[in-house]
């Protein structure tokens, strides 16, 4: 198969590049809005459970000890001091880290091991002390080793945070008595409430009969979910309108491109080429246009600094372009193959 580059080919490649750029921009926009929405509600999922701990002689260790008795895993306990931007967490099993700029986030091995670790935002870097080759930060008179920098590519509330392992601090602010249980994303939505019920049962079992249970479930619904959905619908609608325009332009160009090959196609049919063989040749040329357009589109995206965080996005865009390359050839090819050889060569 000979591949000749002409004006029609150029326009088709440009359209495939535009489809690629639009598709990746859509994926990146949805991902960014999803991440920002999660950060704005506290970097925990919409299924997280909020509760209060009303024990008079409050002790973080007692709450953690009750969690250690749980039959469940893959969750994180969160407690925030909103005034000082300090977050204490306790992880059991797997957990979902917030966006990281460098280093690593907490894992289960960082707890109950005598370690004092911290993950900090960029606005806290000036508080870091280099001591004996170790990067440390002081939190409530306790020194923590900095193991990572949390944050996103734009300014968010994460930039001001210090996140520490709760068993190394066990500090409680006077202005907040709300705790959060959040489950690992690999678990079903009801996992958070199951962990809370297990915690509540463990607390109840350890109390004297007749005493009031010191933990209370709160009906708090994380905000931002509806706005996120509306935003995704809006940008997806714009994307689909663009795709329709690209398809219509491509079909118009394809009619012109194939009409210029009418005599070539007629001669090939005259010498014995089947319709199936002719279709395959045309489809292959369009697939080549799609691959070239995808490559140029990805180069353009890289040049303009759009971040592609998942390889799946690239694969999806290439497959979409191949599908579009096949789709836009169907109307002109069907029309061309209905024309008889004698009519073309007349």
């Amino acid at each position: 198969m000979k591949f000749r580059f002409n004006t029609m080919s150029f326009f088709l490649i440009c359209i495939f590049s535009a489809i690629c750029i639009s598709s990746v921009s859509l994926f990146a926009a949805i991902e960014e809005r999803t991440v920002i929405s999660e950060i704005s509600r506290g970097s925990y999922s919409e299924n997280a459970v909020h509760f209060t701990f009303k024990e008079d002689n409050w002790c973080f260790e007692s709450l953690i000890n009750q969690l250690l008795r749980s039959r469940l895993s893959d969750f994180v306990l969160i407690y925030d001091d909103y005034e000082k931007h300090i977050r204490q967490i306790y992880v059991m099993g797997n957990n979902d880290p917030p966006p990281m700029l460098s280093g690593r986030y907490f894992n289960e091995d960082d707890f109950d091991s005598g370690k004092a670790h911290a993950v900090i935002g960029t606005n806290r870097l000036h508080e870091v002390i280099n001591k004996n080759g170790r990067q440390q930060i002081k939190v409530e008179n306790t020194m923590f080793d900095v193991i990572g920098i949390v944050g996103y590519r734009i300014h968010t509330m994460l930039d001001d945070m210090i996140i520490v392992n709760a068993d190394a601090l066990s500090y409680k602010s006077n202005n907040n008595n709300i705790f959060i249980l959040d489950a690992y994303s690999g678990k079903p939505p009801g996992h958070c409430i199951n962990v809370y019920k297990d915690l509540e049962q463990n607390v109840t079992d350890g109390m004297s009969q007749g005493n009031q249970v010191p933990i209370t479930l709160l009906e708090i619904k994380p905000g931002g979910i509806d706005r996120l959905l509306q935003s995704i619908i809006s940008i997806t609608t714009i994307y689909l309108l663009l795709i329709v325009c690209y398809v219509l332009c491509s079909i118009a160009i394809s009619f012109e491109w194939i009409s210029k090959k009418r005599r070539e196609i007629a001669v090939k049919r005259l010498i014995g080429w089947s319709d199936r063989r002719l279709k395959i040749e045309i489809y292959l040329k369009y697939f080549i246009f799609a691959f070239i357009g995808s490559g140029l589109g990805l180069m353009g995206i890289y040049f303009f600094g759009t971040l592609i965080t998942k390889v799946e996005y690239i694969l999806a865009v290439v497959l979409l372009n191949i599908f579009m390359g096949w789709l836009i050839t169907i109307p002109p090819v069907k029309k061309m193959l209905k024309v008889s050889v004698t009519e073309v060569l007349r």
Side-chain angles (χ1 to χ4, degrees):
M1 178 184 66
K2 294 181 180 179
F3 181 79
R4 288 179 291 184
F5 189 83
N6 53 37
T7 304
M8 298 299 174
S9 305
F10 171 76
F11 281 119
L12 286 170
I13 290 173
C14 287
I15 288 175
F16 284 122
S17 296
I19 293 174
C20 175
I21 293 172
S22 300
S23 301
V24 174
S25 298
L26 171 71
F27 294 148
I30 291 176
E31 181 186 42
E32 181 176 285
R33 280 161 174 77
T34 303
V35 171
I36 291 175
S37 175
E38 184 171 332
I39 292 173
S40 66
R41 66 172 178 262
S43 294
Y44 48 81
S45 73
E46 64 270 21
N47 299 310
V49 171
H50 298 69
F51 67 95
T52 59
F53 196 90
K54 297 181 178 179
E55 188 175 9
D56 292 334
N57 298 322
W58 187 92
C59 181
F60 212 129
E61 288 91 344
S62 63
L63 186 57
I64 291 175
N65 288 335
Q66 298 298 335
L67 285 172
L68 289 173
R69 295 170 56 195
S70 175
R71 299 171 287 103
L72 304 174
S73 63
D74 295 337
F75 64 87
V76 56
L77 172 68
I78 301 172
Y79 176 78
D80 286 316
D81 181 344
Y82 297 109
E83 288 186 355
K84 297 181 180 180
H85 303 288
I86 299 172
R87 167 168 289 187
Q88 298 178 70
I89 67 170
Y90 190 86
V91 174
M92 291 188 67
N94 297 312
N95 75 104
D96 298 300
M100 299 291 295
L101 297 176
S102 63
R104 68 174 181 87
Y105 196 60
F106 293 92
N107 57 55
E108 190 177 27
D109 295 334
D110 293 320
F111 300 87
D112 299 316
S113 59
K115 300 175 182 177
H117 286 164
V119 174
I120 65 173
T122 53
N123 292 343
R124 297 288 193 153
L125 288 173
H126 67 279
E127 301 177 35
V128 174
I129 304 169
N130 194 335
K131 187 176 181 180
N132 298 325
R134 296 161 61 186
Q135 300 291 312
Q136 294 186 317
I137 189 169
K138 191 174 184 179
V139 183
E140 298 297 323
N141 297 318
T142 303
M143 298 303 296
F144 288 81
D145 291 327
V146 177
I147 60 173
I149 309 297
V150 70
Y152 197 52
R153 55 178 176 256
I154 61 175
H155 176 72
T156 66
M157 60 186 294
L158 292 176
D159 298 333
D160 299 316
M161 291 186 70
I162 299 178
I163 307 172
V164 300
N165 51 315
D167 57 311
L169 187 60
S170 298
Y171 154 81
K172 181 177 179 294
S173 167
N174 293 324
N175 59 28
N176 182 31
N177 194 34
I178 297 177
F179 298 85
I180 300 166
L181 280 172
D182 194 16
Y184 174 55
S185 60
K187 292 292 184 177
H191 189 64
C192 292
I193 192 66
N194 290 336
V195 173
Y196 173 78
K197 289 179 179 178
D198 198 47
L199 170 64
E200 187 179 49
Q201 186 61 51
N202 289 337
V203 172
T204 303
D205 292 344
M207 294 179 57
S208 301
Q209 190 174 7
N211 288 347
Q212 185 180 4
V213 178
I215 63 174
T216 304
L217 181 66
L218 301 175
E219 293 295 332
I220 297 178
K221 299 294 183 183
I225 304 300
D226 294 338
R227 292 192 299 272
L228 173 63
L229 183 60
Q230 292 172 0
S231 176
I232 292 176
I233 290 174
S234 297
I235 60 177
T236 304
T237 301
I238 295 172
Y239 168 77
L240 292 176
L241 290 174
L242 284 174
I243 291 296
V244 170
C245 293
Y246 295 149
V247 170
L248 294 177
C249 290
S250 300
I251 291 176
I253 294 172
S254 297
F255 270 112
E256 182 66 22
W257 184 74
I258 290 181
S259 66
K260 290 180 178 298
K261 294 181 171 292
R262 294 173 74 222
R263 295 186 65 85
E264 178 185 336
I265 293 172
V267 170
K268 289 180 177 178
R269 293 176 73 182
L270 193 62
I271 61 175
W273 280 44
S274 65
D275 288 351
R276 181 175 178 273
R277 186 177 178 185
L278 287 169
K279 288 180 182 179
I280 290 175
E281 184 184 46
I282 294 173
Y283 291 157
L284 284 175
K285 287 183 179 179
Y286 270 74
F287 290 164
I288 292 173
F289 295 155
F291 274 114
I292 295 175
S294 298
L296 292 175
L298 292 173
M299 289 173 61
I301 287 167
Y302 178 79
F303 178 78
F304 287 110
T306 301
L307 295 178
I308 306 174
T309 57
K310 296 182 179 179
V311 179
E312 293 89 341
Y313 290 170
I314 299 176
L315 181 60
V317 168
V318 173
L319 290 177
L320 175 64
N321 266 5
I322 292 174
F323 173 75
M324 297 298 291
W326 168 76
L327 185 65
I328 64 179
T329 59
I330 293 177
V333 167
K334 279 188 174 181
K335 183 177 180 180
M336 187 65 242
L337 294 179
K338 287 180 181 179
V339 179
S340 64
V341 175
T342 55
E343 184 180 345
V344 172
L345 297 179
R346 187 178 300 164

